[in-house]
Amino acid sequence: MVPHLVTALTGPLLDLEEKILAATPAIERWFRLEWQEHTPPFYCSVDLRNAGYKLAPVDTNLFPGGFNNLATEMLPLSVQAAMAAIDKYCPDARNLLLIPEVKARSPHYWQNVARLMQIFRQTGLHVRLGSLSPDVTQPTPLALPDGNMLVVEPLVRSPNGRRLGLKDFDPCTILLNNDLSAGIPDILQNIHEQSLLPPLHAGWALRRKSNHFDAYDEVAKKFGKLIGVDPWMLNPFHAKCGQVNFQTGEGEDCLIANIDTLLAKIKKKYKEYGMKEQKPFVIVKPDAGTYGTGILTIKDSAEIKQLTPQQRERLSVVKDGKAVTDVIIQEGVPTFESIKDAVAEPVVYMIDRYVVGGFYRVHAEKGVDQNLNAPGSEYVPLAFAQQHAVPDLKAKPGTAAPNRFYVYGVVARLALLAASLEMERTDPNPEVY
């Protein structure tokens, strides 16, 4: 399925699509060479926004949930990619320990866990679930909506303290599907004899979105030069502010100054491309954290001083009750894609360096300039399966699903490469690379 584009399918995005399709051999070779130098994250999902005039990543998640939202036709591709990923870390792996979120109550999240277990079992691994929750002291069954059952078990450190597993289960590899927003628990520290994936510094206890987008700036510049496009077509401007306290107003001057600077830069770009109707806006969100909380759409910096007490409270705390002190200000990229009159954005999933599918996040109650990762969103699987990696070069730009999905996959892989650079540069133990 290709969603309806509200904008006429003309203009800069079609030019970008044409250039990407024409440069396919050069692009794939460039990625191949980059992956010889850098290790991709174990898995990753990227939220994209297609504005009609640019296609850009707005968020990159290194602990993706939502595998249950991928089309079932994508499973074989996911299994192949998972095999390639596991081979890098533990070629003779027999056991995989999967550590899920602690407080996840949503049955959809557990369907995601079940799908991940299904993928890794197909690679030839025994997969069991270990919980970071102190309340899990014995194997605990969890019923799924589809009638299946999962069992979470308490984690156990080995007698020498160097390995982590379950009772009678010693894994070669530990896969985190927990983004560590609440911090890094002691039981995950100092594991020296097993691969912990993603690494601890990928978790929100340490990770910052601004580091990711700094790396993405570099990747977008290199890629823009490779195919001859303005990197802005693929890249949202961004800035950051630390020491922000929405409750007391501390750091507001930094926010206002950066919002004004970004709005001016965006306006200049709109003028350059003759986009008179487009009104610039920015998104203010926590520099660490996920789940679409604490996000604000701003069209004028004066709005910061006018925030209500309720808004300030919502902006001050994110998942697991963590206080917000650092924020990222990001160029707002409107989404002009829609499904059945509801705004939509593509989310692309990758395991290792391979695109394994995706879906449209759709929200009937949100506008084109708002965050769609909010209660009430729905998911429509992307039909990547029909040879998404083989574009139809004879099709007119904007008319062929494989071409649109190929372009999505290219931009998502740029974010994946940026995440790889980000992980290298923020690694507290860089000698392991």
Side-chain angles (χ1 to χ4, degrees):
M1 162 187 277
V2 178
H4 174 62
L5 267 180
V6 177
T7 48
L9 276 169
T10 56
L13 191 67
L14 290 194
D15 183 47
L16 178 65
E17 185 179 300
E18 275 189 284
K19 282 185 172 160
I20 287 177
L21 293 173
T24 296
I27 289 169
E28 294 307 327
R29 179 176 182 273
W30 180 76
F31 272 124
R32 205 167 61 243
L33 295 176
E34 290 291 336
W35 294 131
Q36 286 173 19
E37 300 291 323
H38 308 287
T39 303
F42 188 82
Y43 55 5
C44 176
S45 69
V46 178
D47 295 1
L48 299 175
R49 299 282 281 209
N50 179 351
Y53 58 86
K54 75 187 289 176
L55 176 67
V58 293
D59 225 344
T60 301
N61 187 356
L62 297 180
F63 299 86
F67 275 90
N68 54 307
N69 295 319
L70 306 188
T72 50
E73 308 95 84
M74 302 309 295
L75 273 174
L77 193 55
S78 299
V79 171
Q80 285 180 324
M83 281 181 177
I86 288 288
D87 277 351
K88 283 183 182 171
Y89 299 96
C90 195
D92 59 348
R94 179 176 297 156
N95 296 334
L96 175 76
L97 175 62
L98 179 57
I99 299 180
E101 290 285 345
V102 172
K103 295 179 182 173
R105 294 186 181 90
S106 163
H108 298 295
Y109 174 74
W110 292 107
Q111 294 276 37
N112 153 71
V113 171
R115 174 63 67 86
L116 278 170
M117 293 178 77
Q118 181 186 9
I119 289 167
F120 287 103
R121 278 179 179 144
Q122 287 294 110
T123 69
L125 292 168
H126 295 287
V127 187
R128 282 165 66 177
L129 297 176
S131 177
L132 289 169
S133 170
D135 300 332
V136 176
T137 55
Q138 58 186 24
T140 305
L142 282 168
L144 297 177
D146 62 5
N148 287 322
M149 187 78 73
L150 295 178
V151 177
V152 290
E153 303 177 62
L155 294 168
V156 180
R157 282 300 277 256
S158 63
N160 69 4
R162 295 176 65 87
R163 296 179 73 84
L164 180 66
L166 307 173
K167 187 183 177 187
D168 305 322
F169 187 76
D170 182 26
C172 168
T173 307
I174 300 161
L175 180 61
L176 288 172
N177 198 241
N178 178 315
D179 63 20
L180 305 178
S181 290
I184 301 171
D186 289 344
I187 200 162
L188 293 182
Q189 307 270 16
N190 303 312
I191 294 171
H192 301 298
E193 297 178 359
Q194 295 156 298
S195 297
L196 185 62
L197 304 166
L200 293 178
H201 68 286
W204 288 122
L206 298 173
R207 187 181 177 219
R208 295 294 177 266
K209 293 175 188 179
S210 51
N211 289 334
H212 174 74
F213 281 100
D214 285 346
Y216 188 80
D217 284 345
E218 293 175 41
V219 171
K221 276 180 192 157
K222 282 175 78 173
F223 185 78
K225 195 172 177 184
L226 176 75
I227 68 167
V229 299
D230 180 349
W232 177 73
M233 292 288 182
L234 306 150
N235 190 10
F237 291 134
H238 78 279
K240 66 174 179 179
C241 285
Q243 309 292 306
V244 174
N245 186 322
F246 285 102
Q247 300 281 32
T248 65
E250 183 187 354
E252 280 188 356
D253 290 344
C254 174
L255 270 177
I256 288 166
N258 276 294
I259 288 168
D260 285 337
T261 301
L262 279 193
L263 288 173
K265 283 173 77 174
I266 300 163
K267 205 174 280 183
K268 192 175 173 187
K269 278 293 178 187
Y270 286 175
K271 191 174 177 186
E272 182 183 335
Y273 287 98
M275 293 156 45
K276 294 173 185 167
E277 302 299 312
Q278 198 65 42
K279 295 282 185 280
F281 67 98
V282 297
I283 300 292
V284 176
K285 56 188 178 184
D287 204 11
T290 182
Y291 287 98
T293 52
I295 295 178
L296 199 60
T297 300
I298 296 281
K299 295 176 181 174
D300 187 316
S301 62
E303 294 170 43
I304 292 294
K305 295 284 189 191
Q306 297 159 5
L307 292 173
T308 66
Q310 291 88 345
Q311 284 175 310
R312 289 180 182 279
E313 196 170 325
R314 278 202 304 272
L315 291 164
S316 297
V317 179
V318 287
K319 186 186 167 203
D320 290 331
K322 284 290 169 187
V324 174
T325 54
D326 300 340
V327 299
I328 181 170
I329 306 109
Q330 196 175 54
E331 174 187 347
V333 183
T335 179
F336 282 110
E337 292 183 289
S338 64
I339 292 174
K340 295 181 183 171
D341 297 326
V343 290
E345 66 185 7
V347 184
V348 177
Y349 275 61
M350 290 156 285
I351 297 177
D352 197 67
R353 57 184 175 146
Y354 305 102
V355 174
V356 298
F359 52 80
Y360 287 108
R361 184 183 286 121
V362 185
H363 206 303
E365 293 167 22
K366 296 288 183 180
V368 298
D369 60 354
Q370 290 179 297
N371 166 51
L372 304 188
N373 188 9
S377 56
E378 297 176 52
Y379 305 96
V380 178
L382 279 170
F384 268 108
Q386 276 65 48
Q387 303 300 317
H388 79 279
V390 186
D392 179 359
L393 297 178
K394 293 177 185 167
K396 279 175 66 179
T399 61
N403 292 359
R404 176 78 64 80
F405 296 151
Y406 176 73
V407 173
Y408 286 167
V410 167
V411 179
R413 284 183 288 158
L414 294 177
L416 183 75
L417 178 57
S420 173
L421 299 178
E422 172 202 359
M423 287 297 100
E424 288 172 23
R425 291 166 186 178
T426 57
D427 190 346
N429 303 299
E431 68 275 8
V432 300
Y433 279 95

